[in-house]
Amino acid sequence: MQSPSLQFTAMLTAMLTARQKPAPWTGHGDAAVRIGERGLERGRPLPEQRPDADPVALVLIHPDTETALTGTLHCARTRIHGAWTEPYRLLTHALAGRDLPHDIDLSTEVPSHRLRRDDRVRDR
């Protein structure tokens, strides 16, 4: 059994690895959606959503309970960081005990100067 500090270190390492090398999102399954400067939230596309659509119609959901946190949002594909994986939980508003901003607008692209270099290359 690992100590709590080793468990936290393992979780943090997994999150940093996932953040640096995200699994590509294919248009199926949940996506990690960029919110604000550094946050990611779990987004679930609507069932009728085409995999190649831009913008993507999705609902942000709680990473643990899978309850909807928003109504349908239209998300520019450039805001999708990659496929959702569990290590991203550490970056969500829900895990931090914060509410999502009331004025979420995912319809606009993330300005390229706010993306890391790796994200700009991958999103092309």
Side-chain angles (χ1 to χ4, degrees):
M1 184 178 273
Q2 290 183 339
S3 70
S5 62
L6 286 177
Q7 288 175 337
F8 178 76
T9 301
M11 285 177 24
L12 186 60
T13 301
M15 184 272 300
L16 291 172
T17 300
R19 183 79 171 97
Q20 291 294 320
K21 297 182 188 284
W25 185 66
T26 62
H28 300 286
D30 292 349
V33 179
R34 291 183 188 100
I35 304 289
E37 291 291 320
R38 293 188 179 99
L40 292 174
E41 297 296 331
R42 187 174 187 176
R44 181 163 293 158
L46 300 182
E48 64 273 7
Q49 180 66 59
R50 288 188 353 245
D52 60 345
D54 191 3
V56 178
L58 54 75
V59 174
L60 297 181
I61 61 171
H62 192 284
D64 296 327
T65 64
E66 298 196 9
T67 56
L69 300 173
T70 65
T72 300
L73 299 171
H74 296 283
C75 175
R77 282 187 86 90
T78 57
R79 285 200 174 265
I80 296 176
H81 180 70
W84 175 263
T85 60
E86 283 305 306
Y88 292 137
R89 287 179 64 250
L90 295 175
L91 299 171
T92 63
H93 283 74
L95 191 69
R98 297 186 323 252
D99 292 331
L100 287 169
H102 295 289
D103 58 349
I104 293 176
D105 180 12
L106 300 177
S107 63
T108 58
E109 295 185 7
V110 178
S112 62
H113 70 277
R114 295 173 101 177
L115 294 176
R116 292 182 351 267
R117 185 178 188 288
D118 294 344
D119 289 337
R120 289 193 302 265
V121 172
R122 183 178 40 78
D123 285 343
R124 287 188 183 151

